[in-house]
Each structure stands twice: as structure tokens, then as C-alpha cells.
């Protein structure tokens, strides 16, 4: 039997613009998906106490298919316990895939180093989603605060992170939001390219501020980033409400995280309880999280 866990992630800066060649900063957060695998008489998948039919869904099916290139797998009992909100832009599918791959490689003695786990998990996400940036799977595998595309680690922030969940179901929307932004760019390249460019610039400035642990400065740039995401058309009424509630409660800054169109916001603060209260009063679900310094690990 092997049990592994992998963390979810938020974007501090740069989502959407990263698809168009600009840098982004993502951060692994201490919300984990734990996966236990053990050989059994027949294959079954139990997720947060409930049995999953259809081979456990596309991420599990495709992960098993890829592992079958290395060995013949016996029937398996797979147990998933996840703290990550599903399909909310916090990287639940990446964490599941990464933790499952690691657990399988340990259980069956397949040598896979962390870069291979990240690359293989990215392949699974591409098969399932059609297109996926390597960010989620890389950050979930390696942990910490990471600038992409360089995949360089930055020092962890001193302040606290509060996630505000507005609506679920955004996971299925990532593709739609990415293509909506691409369509906007095709229609108005002279308007939209400077927005991507500004996001790239604020991300580069943000990297310097993260290195200086200047949470006030990082928060100001997150606010600008949120305005630019709004300009790209990925905001919703509820996301805006939560962003403003977090700022009104004293956050250094708050923004949409991930694809938008629903999902979550992220806020930086020294007073997480106050910001969480503000988010909850505005109708969201607040989750106070630590940065996950460690990525995938055996439990
Ligand atoms: O909502 P998420 O966590 O899937 O993030 C999407 C981030 C985008 O930049 C919009 C797309 C991508 O693949 O980088």
C-alpha cells in the first residue's frame, strides 16, 4: 500500500497572459489531495468516502493507462481524500494526478523522478482537457512559489493567503475562458496585446517584490492584475464582490485566481480571520491557507 499527497495552487500573477507568452507566478497551497493505492480483487475508486463509477473519471483512467506502459497493473483499490475544492481553479485535477502517479510509482517500484512525475501528469491533463499549461502539475509536484515559464522557485511569502470560493464548476470552464480571451485578442490585437504586456510587466515587478517579501507592494500589483483580468472579460459579479470584500476587510490586495468565469479569488493579508470574515459576509466560502513548501510527498 502507498499513500501520497499533492497540493493545490493559486496564481499570484499572470494567468491568461501566460498563455500568450508572458510570465506568471503560481504558488502551491496547503490544501492536499491524498491518494492511497493497493492491489485488490477488483478495481474500485472511493473519493471522499463515495464510490466513483466509470473507472474513477478521466484523470484516473488516463493516469492508469500511462502507467500501463511501464508495467501490467493488477486491479486496484484507490482511495482519494481531498481538501481541494473540485473544479474551482485551485488545481484539484493536477493534485489528484500527481499524487496518484507518485503512489503508483512507489507501490510498483517504477523509477520516476519529480520532473518525470510533473511531465507525465501534464500529459494526462493535456489528454483530458485538450490543452493545459504545465503550471498546475509542476507546482503541485514541486511545491513552493514558482515563476513560469522559467520554473524558478521564489522565496515563500511572509503574509497569509485567503482563498474565497465564489462558484464551482470553473474547471470545466478553463478551456472556454482561454478561447474567449484568444478571440478577444484576435478581434482587437492592438487593445488586448498591451493588456497582456502590462500583466507581464506587473508580474516581473511582482517577482522582485516577492523576493523582498514586500506584501503591501505585491497586494497593490495583485489589484492591478485583477483590473486587467476584468478588462479581458473573465470576471463575474460574485468574483468582484469577493475581491472588494477582501480589500474592504484590509487585505493588501485581492484578485481572481485562475481562469475566472467563476471559481475563486485570492487575497494577501496579515489578518486572515478578518479577511475570511469579509469574504463569508459577502456570500463566499473563505479558506485560509499556508504556502505548501513541499509538493508531492509520501505520507
Ligand atoms: O483555472 P485554472 O487553475 O485552470 O488556471 C487557468 C490558467 C490559465 O492561464 C487561464 C490557463 C493556463 O493553462 O495557463
Amino acid at each position: 500500500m502507498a499513500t501520497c499527497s499533492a497540493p493545490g495552487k493559486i496564481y499570484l500573477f499572470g494567468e491568461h497572459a501566460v498563455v500568450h507568452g508572458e510570465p506568471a507566478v503560481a504558488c502551491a497551497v496547503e490544501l492536499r489531495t491524498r491518494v492511497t493505492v493497493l492491489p485488490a480483487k477488483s478495481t474500485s475508486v472511493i473519493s471522499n468516502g463515495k464510490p466513483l463509477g466509470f473507472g474513477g473519471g478521466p484523470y484516473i483512467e488516463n493516469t492508469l493507462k500511462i502507467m500501463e506502459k511501464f508495467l501490467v497493473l493488477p486491479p486496484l483499490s484507490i482511495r482519494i481524500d481531498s481538501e481541494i475544492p473540485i473544479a474551482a481553479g485551485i488545481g484539484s485535477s493536477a493534485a489528484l494526478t500527481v499524487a496518484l502517479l507518485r503512489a503508483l510509482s512507489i507501490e510498483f517500484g517504477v523509477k520516476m523522478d519529480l520532473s518525470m512525475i510533473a511531465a507525465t501528469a501534464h500529459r494526462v491533463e493535456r489528454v483530458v482537457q485538450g490543452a493545459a499549461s504545465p503550471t498546475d502539475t509542476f507546482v503541485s509536484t514541486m511545491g513552493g512559489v514558482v515563476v513560469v515559464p522559467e520554473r524558478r522557485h521564489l522565496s515563500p511569502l511572509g503574509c497569509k493567503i485567503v482563498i474565497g470560493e465564489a462558484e464551482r464548476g470553473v474547471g470545466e470552464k478553463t478551456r472556454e475562458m482561454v478561447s474567449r480571451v484568444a478571440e478577444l485578442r484576435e478581434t482587437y490585437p492592438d487593445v488586448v496585446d498591451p493588456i497582456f504586456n502590462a500583466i507581464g510587466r506587473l508580474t516581473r515587478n511582482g517577482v522582485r517584490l516577492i523576493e523582498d517579501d514586500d506584501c503591501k507592494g505585491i497586494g497593490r500589483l495583485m489589484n492591478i492584475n485583477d483590473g486587467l483580468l476584468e478588462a479581458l472579460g473573465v470576471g463575474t459579479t460574485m468574483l468582484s464582490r469577493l475581491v472588494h470584500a477582501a480589500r474592504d476587510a484590509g487585505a493588501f490586495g485581492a484578485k481572481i485566481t485562475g481562469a475566472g468565469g467563476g471559481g475563486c479569488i485570492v487575497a494577501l493579508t496579515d489578518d486572515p480571520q478578518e479577511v475570511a470574515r469579509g469574504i463569508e459576509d459577502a456570500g463566499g466560502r473563505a479558506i485560509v491557507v499556508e504556502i505548501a513548501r513541499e509538493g508531492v510527498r509520501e505520507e
Side-chain angles (χ1 to χ4, degrees):
M1 181 171 97
T3 301
C4 290
S5 77
K9 65 95 206 20
I10 50 102
Y11 276 94
L12 285 172
F13 303 113
E15 56 274 86
H16 283 292
V18 72
V19 178
H20 300 269
E22 299 292 345
V25 179
C27 170
V29 292
E30 250 342 313
L31 291 172
R32 287 183 172 266
T33 296
R34 286 178 186 76
V35 179
T36 301
V37 293
L38 74 154
K41 283 207 180 88
S42 62
T43 293
S44 66
V45 183
I46 305 224
S47 176
N48 286 357
K50 291 198 194 92
L52 293 183
F54 304 109
Y59 292 98
I60 294 176
E61 270 179 32
N62 282 287
T63 303
L64 296 180
K65 222 184 257 174
I66 284 190
M67 283 310 276
E68 297 239 289
K69 294 197 171 131
F70 298 99
L71 79 164
V72 179
L73 286 171
L76 290 170
S77 157
I78 301 174
R79 215 187 71 209
I80 304 159
D81 291 291
S82 185
E83 302 158 355
I84 306 174
I86 288 166
I90 307 295
S92 59
S93 58
L96 167 62
T97 309
V98 166
L100 176 59
L101 272 170
R102 187 70 167 158
L104 289 169
S105 70
I106 291 170
E107 179 67 17
F108 297 105
V110 179
K111 276 210 170 68
M112 290 178 97
D113 64 10
L114 289 186
S115 2
M116 192 170 169
I117 297 269
T120 310
H122 180 218
R123 241 170 84 199
V124 172
E125 285 219 317
R126 272 205 321 262
V127 171
V128 178
Q129 297 173 16
S133 85
T135 315
D136 282 26
T137 39
F138 183 83
V139 172
S140 186
T141 307
M142 306 295 182
V145 185
V146 178
V147 195
V148 287
E150 298 101 292
R151 302 179 191 198
R152 179 164 64 89
H153 272 92
L154 302 173
S155 43
L157 308 170
C159 48
K160 296 282 184 249
I161 297 172
V162 185
I163 291 171
E165 191 184 353
E167 302 108 343
R168 295 207 174 170
V170 74
E172 294 87 59
K173 274 198 193 158
T174 300
R175 219 164 155 174
E176 182 195 326
M177 301 315 286
V178 168
S179 72
R180 245 200 249 178
V181 170
E183 192 272 325
L184 192 68
R185 182 188 173 266
E186 258 163 50
T187 313
Y188 305 110
D190 53 334
V191 176
V192 175
D193 279 340
I195 298 177
F196 290 152
N197 198 268
I199 294 176
R201 280 166 197 264
L202 73 83
T203 300
R204 285 183 203 96
N205 276 286
V207 167
R208 277 197 291 278
L209 295 176
I210 291 169
E211 276 158 353
D212 293 345
D213 199 17
D214 178 352
C215 287
K216 211 168 152 195
I218 299 165
R220 286 178 76 185
L221 289 176
M222 286 169 72
N223 290 342
I224 300 176
N225 197 161
D226 188 69
L228 295 170
L229 286 167
E230 279 285 350
L232 293 175
V234 302
T236 67
T237 307
M238 191 58 181
L239 288 170
S240 291
R241 198 173 288 153
L242 300 191
V243 161
H244 285 278
R247 288 179 195 156
D248 290 347
F252 295 122
K255 64 181 272 295
I256 294 166
T257 177
C264 292
I265 65 126
V266 58
L268 282 197
T269 177
D270 271 348
D271 190 347
Q273 295 319 322
E274 192 59 30
V275 169
R277 199 171 310 126
I279 289 171
E280 300 261 341
D281 286 349
R285 183 165 83 98
I287 315 171
V288 178
V289 288
E290 299 289 330
I291 292 176
R293 290 164 187 248
E294 229 184 323
V296 65
R297 66 170 180 235
E298 191 174 5
E299 297 275 309

